[in-house]
Structure formats: structure tokens, C-alpha cells
Amino acid sequence: MEAKDSLLKIIKSLLEIDAPVSKPVLLDFLLGKTSREITEGSFDDRETFGCGDNHDDEFWNTLIDTACEKGFLKAKSARNPLLVVSSAGKKYLKKPTSFPLDEESDVADIPADSGLDEIVKNALDVKASKEASPRTRQQMKLIHAIDCKIALDDFAESESLGFDEVLEEAEKLIHQGRRLDITYFTDEVMGDECVSELVDYFRNAPTDDLDEALNEYGDVYNDMEIRLARIVYRVEQLGTKN
């Protein structure tokens, strides 16, 4: 079924709420149900409150989970896994396209009550890897954080790491052949045009040496931004080798 209008309702509702909320609170908001969180936040005063009462909670459960999977919604941070609209979601609001929802296939393998809260909780559960070394566990947490589209600076803060340490771990993982798609983060903090400019530079440069790139673009971008773009480039190169 076509779910474009319903997806737009979710995005508009979260933007109007203007605060990270749990999936149950978002469901109550869409369905126009009052709850302690709804009342305390005065969310029932918002114009879009109850805008989804034309569908039941099962439909909205499915669509919210799908929106998370597709990257239109994300966790606020590693420490705060409440729902907010991602940069992709904001772009979709400005230029919506068809959004078919195949309730029998695309969403069949997404538990109706899984939610982003549970996804993040499970993804960051290091107890599942007790036999791994501390460094391996840290890398696993980084991989899962990226899979959940958690902002890398938020991840660094939650793990008491420097941002450069997170980039170093990401670079090591890519060197090992791991494809880490961080474009959700680079597009938001740098803009896709800036990322594309730097990635194009690396494609045509004789080497992806950081110092050489800084000599070329150091007056425009800082070293962290160039490293982020180089990660995007290196992941792209992994794809061309396979």
C-alpha cells in the first residue's frame, strides 16, 4: 500500500513535538491518546495531535519501524535512544516521493513491537560478546552504532572517547574490509555537496594521504572533515574491489 502521506504525518508530528520521544509516546500522539507523557509535555496542544486516527496502532507500529529501518527516523544519541527525525527524514518532507509499504514482505521480518529503543539496546549490548577483547568489543559497538545511524560524536561522548579515536577505529575496520556507511552522519554535519567534493578529490588524487589532502583543502575543511570524507571514499573503494 502507498504510505507516503502517513510517513509525512510521522515526520511532521515529530518535528512539531520538537523533542525526542519514545515509540509508545509517538503512537499515542498519532492516535490522539492522552497519557502522562503526552499531558506533561503538553503535546496534546500540538496541531498534528491525533492526525493518525485513520489507522490503528498496528499500522503505525509497522510504519514507524520501517521509517527507522529506512533511516527517516533515528535515535537521538547512543545514550538517548529516543526517536527524532533524521536529515533524510527532513529531506523527504521537503521532497516526498512514493513510499510503498509492503505489509506482507518488507515489514514481515521487523517485529511489530521492536521499536528503535529495543534495536539500539540490543545493538549496544556488549554482554553478548564477553569472550571478545576490549578493542573488539569497542569495534563491535561502533559497528552497531553506525548500523543504528547514531551520530559519531554522540557515540564518542557516550564511550568517553575522543572523536579522533572513533575515526581511527573506523579506519581500522575499513582496512579490515568492513563497509561502514557513515553518509547519514557526513551528510548531516558537512552536507552531501562538500562530501562529494572531497570524495571526488580522493578519486582523482594519486594517493589518499591525509597530509596531501590537507595541503589541497586545509583552508576550507579541517582534518576531521577530510578524514570523514576519506572514510566515505575508502568504503566506496571496497565496493569497487568486490
Side-chain angles (χ1 to χ4, degrees):
M1 64 178 295
E2 177 58 57
K4 178 181 72 174
D5 292 340
S6 296
L7 177 58
L8 290 173
K9 286 182 179 180
I10 291 176
I11 295 172
K12 290 176 180 178
S13 293
L14 269 176
L15 290 176
E16 191 172 29
I17 290 172
D18 195 27
V21 295
S22 66
K23 181 182 175 184
V25 171
L26 178 56
L27 280 169
D28 285 342
F29 184 92
L30 289 165
L31 295 169
K33 297 180 179 179
T34 56
S35 65
R36 179 175 58 81
E37 293 86 353
I38 292 290
T39 303
E40 288 181 353
S42 298
F43 299 151
D44 48 349
D45 293 335
R46 305 295 200 273
E47 183 178 346
T48 51
F49 180 69
C51 65
D53 60 1
N54 58 322
H55 290 293
D56 59 18
D57 57 354
E58 183 177 353
F59 170 84
W60 290 114
N61 256 313
T62 299
L63 185 55
I64 290 171
D65 286 335
T66 306
C68 292
E69 290 289 312
K70 300 296 185 181
F72 295 114
L73 308 181
K74 67 176 184 177
K76 174 64 176 176
S77 69
R79 293 184 301 174
N80 182 9
L82 301 181
L83 293 171
V84 295
V85 179
S86 68
S87 58
K90 293 175 182 176
K91 289 179 181 178
Y92 185 83
L93 179 61
K94 293 180 179 179
K95 193 175 181 180
T97 56
S98 175
F99 191 78
L101 182 64
D102 188 343
E103 296 175 286
E104 294 184 355
S105 58
D106 289 352
V107 189
D109 58 333
I110 304 173
D113 60 349
S114 62
L116 190 57
D117 293 14
E118 192 65 25
I119 292 172
V120 174
K121 177 183 176 182
N122 292 338
L124 300 181
D125 186 3
V126 296
K127 291 182 181 179
S129 56
K130 288 181 179 179
E131 297 181 0
S133 67
R135 164 158 282 182
T136 299
R137 289 200 299 269
Q138 188 70 71
Q139 289 182 334
M140 290 173 65
K141 291 170 76 174
L142 176 57
I143 291 168
H144 290 312
I146 291 173
D147 287 344
C148 292
K149 301 186 185 301
I150 293 172
L152 297 183
D153 50 351
D154 287 334
F155 174 78
E157 182 181 353
S158 70
E159 295 297 312
S160 300
L161 298 172
F163 190 61
D164 59 326
E165 293 179 277
V166 173
L167 296 188
E168 183 178 349
E169 289 301 325
E171 289 165 344
K172 289 178 180 177
L173 285 165
I174 293 168
H175 182 70
Q176 296 167 11
R178 171 73 66 169
R179 298 183 187 180
L180 300 177
D181 183 2
I182 65 167
T183 53
Y184 71 92
F185 178 70
T186 56
D187 286 351
E188 185 163 358
V189 300
M190 297 175 60
D192 54 358
E193 292 184 2
C194 294
V195 176
S196 295
E197 179 183 20
L198 289 171
V199 169
D200 189 60
Y201 159 78
F202 284 120
R203 288 194 194 109
N204 296 287
T207 175
D208 66 0
D209 181 74
L210 182 62
D211 289 334
E212 291 294 328
L214 282 169
N215 286 335
E216 186 74 21
Y217 284 99
D219 57 337
V220 180
Y221 303 105
N222 61 43
D223 59 337
M224 294 298 177
E225 291 171 328
I226 292 176
R227 285 179 73 182
L228 283 168
R230 187 173 65 172
I231 288 173
V232 174
Y233 163 74
R234 286 179 172 177
V235 171
E236 176 188 272
Q237 293 304 296
L238 285 177
T240 62
K241 291 178 183 178
N242 296 320

